[in-house]
Amino acid sequence: MNRFTHLIDLDDFPVSYIEKIVNLGADIALNTAKYSEYCKDKVLATLFYEPSTRTQMSFQTAMLRLGGTLIGFDNPETSSVAKGENLKDTTKVVSSYADIMVMRNPVEGSAKAAAISADCPIINAGDGGHLHPTQTLTDLLTIKLEKGELENLTIGVCGDLKYGRTTHSLCKTLSKFSGNRFVFISAPELAMPDYIKDICEFKEIYSLEDALPELDMLYMTRIQRERFTGTTMPQKYILTKEMLAAMKPDAIILHPLPRVDEIEIAVDDDPRAKYFLQAKYGVYVRMALIIEILKNEYPTKLLSGEFSDKICENEKCVTTKEKYLPQSFSRKGDTIFCDYCESLITQQQIP
Ligand code: CP
């Protein structure tokens, strides 16, 4: 067991803890000034190895609104990462300067790898195509405030469901609330991974128009060009103003942003379009998260230490890049998966 409560994956926490953060976020949205001294004398480090607008700046705003201060980089080329410093050494040093550290990194499993050597709590702000748990907290607060409930919803998730880490985190978490069902809308080559389908009640369809009438919420995403490895770009989905007539009057439209062209600008004026509000709510829920993580109520279990003689075959896994990391896998039912990136071990490796 690690000494700190890290947010690597929302799955590490009971649903009651997630609800506690969301409810605190709702209170902070109404009474922001009440929390203005909570992090006086605390330092937040933001290490962004990948571009970001919302996640980075909303964390920075959150810490400033809690009365704390900031250090960090938003371009690894301006840090000693450019000289070849590994993740362990950067984490070890920066976590000795800060009380809490937020990291975005293009490598899957990197937040967990950082947590192993960190001397403060680590928050995963996106690890490659794997997870983006603080976006999920933002989405949950938006759903709570705009729909009033987190249960019994029909949720359309559209776009790049293969590489879209926001959709993976969101579906994993919303599937824990009762009565939620999903409609996955994507091109076949960008379909939702099996490990998410295994835990959801879902159907898959290819037509966005056909899906719209039954949805309580539509979650649009962009195609992750930076992660797509195919040669021809798959079919694009674009939500147009004309298509809104088919949606329920009280449905909501979310998007983690950035938008490219998957939602027409004309949709922004529709009262069901909540994506800019969603970005704003990200500050409040991240304030709540910082407060709760610093209480250190759930020290995080990081590695099982099992099957350390096996090798993760995911070329995007942090163990491929940071060779000093111990291999570690966990068993869930009949499957064995990497503790860093959650890739399943292949049949040949199963003991
Ligand atoms: N939603 C989100 O993660 O946005 P950024 O990439 O701008 O942080």
Side-chain angles (χ1 to χ4, degrees):
M1 195 69 75
N2 196 273
R3 286 175 293 154
F4 302 107
T5 299
H6 304 285
L7 173 54
I8 310 297
D9 182 343
L10 287 169
D11 270 0
D12 294 334
F13 300 98
V15 173
S16 59
Y17 187 72
I18 296 169
E19 286 180 306
K20 190 172 163 189
I21 293 169
V22 171
N23 290 338
L24 179 58
D27 187 61
I28 292 172
L30 288 176
N31 306 293
T32 315
K34 195 170 98 187
Y35 298 87
S36 64
E37 303 244 336
Y38 195 93
C39 284
K40 202 164 169 291
D41 303 326
K42 298 271 190 238
V43 176
L44 172 82
T46 52
L47 300 195
F48 277 66
Y49 291 74
E50 251 193 353
S52 167
T53 298
R54 277 144 293 274
T55 312
Q56 183 185 200
M57 291 192 203
S58 63
F59 263 117
Q60 292 173 341
T61 308
M63 193 52 161
L64 292 172
R65 293 219 183 280
L66 290 167
T69 50
L70 308 168
I71 58 170
F73 60 73
D74 58 12
N75 178 359
E77 291 304 310
T78 61
S79 76
S80 286
V81 175
K83 300 173 199 163
E85 185 165 66
N86 67 28
L87 184 65
K88 177 179 182 202
D89 294 359
T90 304
T91 304
K92 188 79 189 157
V93 172
V94 177
S95 66
S96 74
Y97 301 154
D99 298 287
I100 185 164
M101 193 167 123
V102 177
M103 195 179 82
R104 171 172 289 187
N105 192 300
V107 182
E108 295 180 14
S110 49
K112 183 165 281 189
I116 293 169
S117 52
D119 288 323
C120 76
I122 300 287
I123 295 176
N124 182 4
D127 59 335
H130 183 216
L131 296 171
H132 192 350
T134 72
Q135 180 62 48
T136 299
L137 291 173
T138 300
D139 302 338
L140 295 185
L141 178 60
T142 308
I143 299 166
K144 177 94 182 169
L145 293 180
E146 298 303 320
K147 290 295 293 177
E149 60 189 346
L150 296 172
E151 297 179 343
N152 301 315
L153 299 168
T154 299
I155 300 149
V157 190
C158 178
D160 183 350
L161 310 188
K162 181 173 181 186
Y163 299 106
R165 59 192 173 196
T166 58
T167 66
H168 302 167
S169 289
L170 182 68
C171 296
K172 274 174 76 167
T173 306
L174 277 177
S175 65
K176 294 181 180 161
F177 290 85
S178 71
N180 289 333
R181 47 186 292 277
F182 298 86
V183 182
F184 296 142
I185 311 147
S186 77
E189 59 271 50
L190 293 180
M192 191 59 91
D194 287 343
Y195 84 97
I196 301 291
K197 289 185 197 165
D198 285 348
I199 54 166
C200 293
E201 186 192 333
F202 74 95
K203 68 176 176 184
E204 274 180 313
I205 63 174
Y206 303 117
S207 160
L208 176 57
E209 284 90 337
D210 289 350
L212 289 177
E214 68 175 311
L215 303 181
D216 298 307
M217 169 178 133
L218 173 62
Y219 197 88
M220 291 295 291
T221 61
R222 72 185 169 92
I223 291 183
Q224 306 268 308
R225 284 175 193 274
E226 66 275 34
R227 303 191 212 288
F228 185 69
T229 48
T231 46
T232 49
M233 285 309 275
Q235 178 199 341
K236 250 191 191 165
Y237 290 88
I238 298 179
L239 182 68
T240 65
K241 192 171 181 219
E242 288 66 41
M243 288 159 74
L244 298 179
M247 293 188 77
K248 291 181 184 174
D250 63 345
I252 59 172
I253 304 162
L254 303 192
H255 190 310
L257 305 177
R259 158 175 59 185
V260 181
D261 54 6
E262 55 283 345
I263 299 181
E264 242 183 27
I265 301 282
V267 173
D268 299 356
D269 297 329
D270 190 283
R272 291 167 288 187
K274 302 292 184 189
Y275 28 91
F276 293 120
L277 206 50
Q278 180 185 2
K280 182 177 172 181
Y281 290 155
V283 173
Y284 306 130
V285 89
R286 288 179 173 110
M287 288 172 74
L289 177 66
I290 291 168
I291 290 172
E292 290 302 330
I293 290 276
L294 286 173
K295 289 181 186 167
N296 201 20
E297 280 176 353
Y298 285 95
T300 308
K301 181 168 187 236
L302 294 172
L303 301 179
S304 76
E306 292 194 51
F307 307 110
S308 54
D309 55 328
K310 310 294 170 205
I311 292 176
C312 182
E313 293 173 7
N314 174 10
E315 60 184 22
K316 294 178 179 168
C317 178
V318 67
T319 54
T320 308
K321 187 161 182 287
E322 310 276 337
K323 301 277 188 203
Y324 54 85
L325 289 167
Q327 297 280 339
S328 179
F329 297 83
S330 293
R331 191 187 281 274
K332 206 183 278 173
D334 290 339
T335 58
I336 299 173
F337 59 91
C338 173
D339 280 336
Y340 299 90
C341 70
E342 295 187 272
S343 289
L344 298 185
I345 205 165
T346 56
Q347 208 62 31
Q348 293 92 306
Q349 285 207 72
I350 289 181

